[in-house]
Amino acid sequence: MTRSVFNPVAARADFPILDRTVNGKPLNYLDAAATSQKPRVVLDAERRYYETANAAVNRGAHTLAGEATDLFEDARARVAGYLGAGERELVWTANATEALNLVAYAIGNATLGRGGAAAERFRLAAGDEIVVTEAEHHANLIPWQELAARTGAVLRPIRVHDDGRIDLDHAAEVIGERTRLVAFAHVSNVLGIVNPVEHLTRLAHDAGALVVLDACQSAPNLPVDLRALDVDFAAVSGHKMLAPTGIGALYGKAELLDALPPFLTGGSMITRVTLESAEYLPAPQRFEPGTQRIAQAIGWAAACDWMEAHGRAEIAEWERGLGQRMLLGLAQIPGIRVLGVGDGTVERVGLAAFDVEGVHAHDSGQFLDDRGIAVRVGHHCAQPLHRRFGLTATTRASVSPFTTADEIDELLEAVAGIRPFFGVSA
């Protein structure tokens, strides 16, 4: 059966927050790249868990404990399946930042000799190289800076072209025999460009290096299959894909997770403890000490169900069209500079970061907020990339499944009024 075209107007009814106004105007929420709004099914799933099955998971023998554990692990299976992963390949974390730090610190622990022979493959030596791109979010840059500082490894960046595309010729030069790990974003949170994961992964694996993917902006906006991409690890953020805040996930190939020494330690991730030593459970439990994010995981599974029910590919196509409408409109406004190629020759998601000539991004954002339009302003946790383009901050608009074409046109009309309002000549 052919699925009908995605209907954002019908989808809007599922998001209670869209009923409110901001500064007397209907809320036009264009900040999904920072955090998404939540459909009612997600709110209901969290509340239902707390009202009917709240208990500690993976411990206790009473009925509620068993029910909570079943719900928790069922959520893992559903989110993992949505991302193209196996249940044992998905580790719950507080957010994607923690997921990336988990890999970095665990590799550092392996370098210190933790993990035994199984962890040998992760150990770094002085002069080994960790490769990133200059377009990375700080969460996929600073952990590798710290790992290099702790191990004596060298951090090497891959350049981006003036249009924001990764310089693949430079990538081939940088990734070499000393490369042990390559970390990059599937989609830049500033440029909106979908990076060539398969190409970069092949370069890394041919050099014998591990691949760590930041999938925070791709998982909400594209049908992502992490196994098919063949990356070794990936970080995903729940709150950017209609799920609650306070939860993220680390994907890892099962054999790698089982060999990686733990990062955080404590209860519920061990098999045997003496006063002198401990032995750890296999993944994913070995990376999940302490009280878990139970309600958030259940809410995330409900968010995945909502996306599946409305058609992941159909939503992605709708958002892609809105993104092109936004890019073409911004290109017609004098004094507006959009970062990243926007001429349709490169795949992008529905996101645009732009500079308003003569007006600070914070002032632009306030101007839009006065009109009920919510956008992100600042460096978007990507200072090196902004510096690469000679900027300190930009204004970023990003779409949601419920965004309409009229809301994009409303944004464009408002942006056209920013420079005249601040007295900047055209």
Side-chain angles (χ1 to χ4, degrees):
M1 182 178 69
T2 302
R3 188 188 297 273
S4 61
V5 176
F6 176 70
N7 185 347
V9 177
R12 293 176 69 86
D14 292 341
F15 292 83
I17 200 169
L18 298 181
D19 291 336
R20 69 162 296 176
T21 59
V22 173
N23 295 318
K25 306 290 195 308
L27 172 63
N28 183 349
Y29 188 79
L30 296 175
D31 197 20
T35 195
S36 61
Q37 299 301 340
K38 322 305 176 193
R40 190 171 281 103
V41 292
V42 171
L43 307 178
D44 289 345
E46 280 199 284
R47 182 171 55 252
R48 185 166 54 250
Y49 162 74
Y50 281 126
E51 290 177 346
T52 66
N54 182 43
V57 299
N58 294 318
R59 63 187 79 175
H62 57 79
T63 297
L64 288 186
E67 291 177 355
T69 298
D70 288 345
L71 290 168
F72 181 63
E73 294 301 336
D74 176 67
R76 189 195 306 274
R78 287 154 63 194
V79 175
Y82 184 88
L83 297 170
E87 295 176 45
R88 293 196 57 246
E89 296 177 317
L90 195 79
V91 176
W92 300 122
T93 60
N95 43 51
T97 299
E98 184 183 288
L100 292 163
N101 274 273
L102 190 162
V103 178
Y105 277 86
I107 290 175
N109 288 343
T111 302
L112 293 173
R114 305 297 296 170
E120 179 68 34
R121 71 183 78 183
F122 302 114
R123 291 173 188 154
L124 298 177
D128 284 343
E129 294 176 353
I130 301 169
V131 174
V132 296
T133 81
E134 62 180 341
E136 297 311 308
H137 188 285
H138 297 164
N140 201 31
L141 172 62
I142 299 172
W144 311 119
Q145 291 177 346
E146 290 294 312
L147 179 61
R150 292 196 306 274
T151 62
V154 178
L155 188 70
R156 298 193 64 189
I158 300 170
R159 296 190 296 262
V160 298
H161 292 293
D162 290 343
D163 62 9
R165 292 177 299 113
I166 291 175
D167 186 333
L168 296 180
D169 290 334
H170 189 235
E173 295 174 11
V174 171
I175 299 171
E177 61 181 14
R178 295 307 301 270
T179 305
R180 299 296 305 280
L181 184 147
V182 180
F184 62 95
H186 193 172
V187 173
S188 166
N189 73 312
V190 175
L191 305 169
I193 293 172
V194 181
N195 289 320
V197 177
E198 293 87 348
H199 185 96
L200 292 168
T201 297
R202 184 167 57 253
L203 287 177
H205 285 168
D206 286 349
L210 295 168
V211 174
V212 180
L213 185 71
D214 172 358
C216 289
Q217 297 296 338
S218 58
N221 299 300
L222 302 170
V224 170
D225 187 328
L226 296 174
R227 277 181 173 169
L229 291 174
D230 196 31
V231 296
D232 300 297
F233 300 99
V236 186
S237 178
H239 76 99
K240 294 183 188 296
M241 48 188 296
L242 311 186
T245 55
I247 190 166
L250 171 68
Y251 161 80
K253 293 179 177 177
E255 66 273 16
L256 295 177
L257 287 176
D258 282 342
L260 197 66
F263 162 39
L264 298 173
T265 55
S268 300
M269 44 84 73
I270 47 82
T271 57
R272 181 174 180 273
V273 177
T274 69
L275 291 177
E276 294 76 31
S277 64
E279 297 173 4
Y280 302 110
L281 287 164
Q285 283 76 24
R286 75 161 55 198
F287 302 107
E288 295 177 354
T291 302
Q292 288 301 296
R293 304 152 184 92
I294 309 164
Q296 294 94 326
I298 293 167
W300 194 350
C304 292
D305 292 346
W306 188 94
M307 294 283 284
E308 292 279 17
H310 286 80
R312 297 171 67 184
E314 289 79 6
I315 292 172
E317 185 61 28
W318 173 254
E319 292 183 346
R320 188 179 298 112
L322 291 178
Q324 282 301 306
R325 188 186 191 97
M326 181 163 54
L327 290 169
L328 291 173
L330 289 170
Q332 302 302 312
I333 302 174
I336 302 299
R337 173 193 177 193
V338 177
L339 299 192
V341 60
D343 58 6
T345 60
V346 174
E347 184 181 3
R348 296 179 57 125
V349 300
L351 178 158
F354 56 92
D355 175 59
V356 181
E357 184 181 358
V359 181
H360 194 280
H362 291 175
D363 292 326
S364 296
Q366 186 61 61
F367 178 90
L368 295 174
D369 185 61
D370 286 345
R371 287 147 184 81
I373 304 171
V375 296
R376 172 77 185 268
V377 298
H379 51 64
H380 318 307
C381 297
Q383 285 186 343
L385 181 61
H386 276 78
R387 198 172 296 117
R388 160 71 175 81
F389 290 109
L391 299 169
T392 58
T394 53
T395 302
R396 185 184 70 191
S398 50
V399 306
S400 300
F402 52 71
T403 304
T404 65
D406 286 345
E407 288 180 316
I408 297 300
D409 293 344
E410 180 185 337
L411 168 74
L412 296 172
E413 181 180 357
V415 170
I418 293 175
R419 297 177 79 234
F421 178 86
F422 286 99
V424 179
S425 58

